[in-house]
Amino acid sequence: MAEHLRGIGVSPGRAAGPAYRMTPAPRLPDPSPVADPQAEAEQVRTALAAVAADLDRRASAAGASLAADILRAQAMMAQDPELVEAAAAKARTGCTAAAAIDAALAVHRQAFQAAGGYLAERVADLDDIRNRAVAACLGQPTPGIPTPAHPFVLVARDLAPADTAELDPERVLALVTEEGGPTSHTAILARALGLPAVVMCGGALDLDHGVSVVVDGTTGEVTAGVDAASVAATRVAEQRRRQRLASASGPGRTADGHPVTLYGNIGSAKDLHGDLEGVGLFRTELLYLNRTDPPDRDEQAAAYAEVLAAMAGRRVIVRTLDAGADKPLPFLRQSGEPNPALGVRGLRLARRQPNVLRTQLEAIAQAARQTSAQVWVMAPMVATVAEAKRFVAACRDAGLPTAGAMVEVPAAALRARALLSVVDFLSIGTNDLSQYTFAADRQCGELADLLDPWQPALLELVAGCASAGLAAGKPVGVCGEAAADPRLALVLTGLGVTSLSMAPRAVSEVREALAAHTLAECRQLATEALAADETRPDRDGAAVG
Ligand code: PEP
Ligand code: MG
């Protein structure tokens, strides 16, 4: 008998195959007497060195990418001399290597958590090191992504950045998690890779290992215990859908020809994929990761030029550095803020380190001069008109004529009209705008219902920005994850936004949805979404009151 589970679909498409859970973290056996404490101490060193070597190997396999940087940083943590010595010392007191590693990492974990900020956010990496090293000592399978000999559906509680780094899209058919939310790492990664994904799927961890499932990343349905014929039929239908989407191209248009520009969100040239009208959000943080000093102007210009050259003749909207909170960067030494999301982040960093912004703008201008791409720049986390004015002036000084502001803070949305009197365009970052409108941490899966971009309060802020844009005759786009949901894209179009920017692999689905609806239908859907209660159309009863 088939079993039906339901979560939130966060990356469209259907997939079918055997479900495999992430290998769980090892549990420590009851304490036992130790014959040779010195040998246990040696095993501690060997296990931590093996974990670091494995992380380094995975980093090399990941090439030049954010994933590789994350893995390398984690490998360094596993070889931190203080940690290794603390664990070895513990083993010399007479406990097993596994227990010594567990105890030493628990102390480190507590210290990281107490330090707050950037270090507190690294706790998941420490837990991962602990799990891998303890499993090595106990001779148990390495925790993490399973490695069956055939493609499979990955089931997990939630995915950490380190897990996602080693996920091979050739082998993983779809993702299903019990936790996580629409803006979780799982969701963002799934959309970037074009994998169907369902998050907040209660009961997923109880599925039998290897049971055949059909996952629908659009509706959020997961059906377990399906027969071979259903698996085959799902695969054929999905293949046809992908072929159909791949063959569609051209600019975004509603059925009656109303244009909506479809852009891609990228972090580097590697992310460019498919037929894009341009880049609506070029995140530039990748260049600054894991460094004690910011990259210099020439290094930055070379990286920007690579993207601009690939997008010759098209528009590229470069976002200036958005460090802090969910994007901690060591060189800014920001730890110690009690509420990093409400602290000196995004454009606010220019108050403290104006040179960082100045150099970046000069680097963007330098790269822009080398190509025919149409370069626009925008600042993250703008809150006031005065901030926007200063940013626009800095852009003009650097020789960048088109400057905009992201709308991520409710204050900016409320002042959209005034902002548009000083900037050339607005781009609404719904991920942060949700977080700040609902006072709900964007990384907190438990609050996913508040972070749902279908929330009417969020849509009302978008509507206000869009009508300010229409009145001013200036573009107002959406570049948060909301733009990647084909049905929400219709609503956003109906609200009057002029562009939608999303993971490049999500573009074809949105293009198809637009082409199947008139502007009047989009406006009707927008009216309904604004008038709705807190649930999205496919989640009746799922919201928390
Ligand atoms: C956003 O906040 O919606 C956004 C697009 O920026 P990021 O996700 O990079 O913070
Ligand atoms: Mg943001």
Side-chain angles (χ1 to χ4, degrees), residues 27 57 141 169 196 222 275 343 347-348 370 397 406 415 420 454 462 471 474 478:
R27 291 161 68 113
R57 183 188 53 72
V222 176
D275 181 32
L347 179 63
R348 299 166 185 188
Q370 297 166 24
D397 282 352
M406 286 187 79
R415 297 279 290 158
L420 281 164
W454 283 87
V462 173
K474 293 184 176 178
V478 170

Side-chain angles (χ1 to χ4, degrees), residues 39 79 103 122 164 239 241 243 340 351 357 360 380 425 453 485-486:
Q79 280 298 270
R122 303 273 71 79
T164 57
Q239 202 173 10
R241 187 187 74 92
Q243 276 163 355
R351 299 167 183 227
L357 176 64
Q360 184 174 28
F425 67 96
D485 174 340

Side-chain angles (χ1 to χ4, degrees), residues 242-259:
R242 285 183 186 244
Q243 276 163 355
R244 194 188 69 234
L245 290 173
S247 64
S249 61
R253 294 271 184 276
T254 58
D256 52 339
H258 172 72

Side-chain angles (χ1 to χ4, degrees), residues 510-523:
V510 170
R511 181 189 289 118
E512 190 179 64
L514 280 175
H517 294 81
T518 62
L519 180 58
E521 285 168 340
C522 292
R523 287 189 175 139

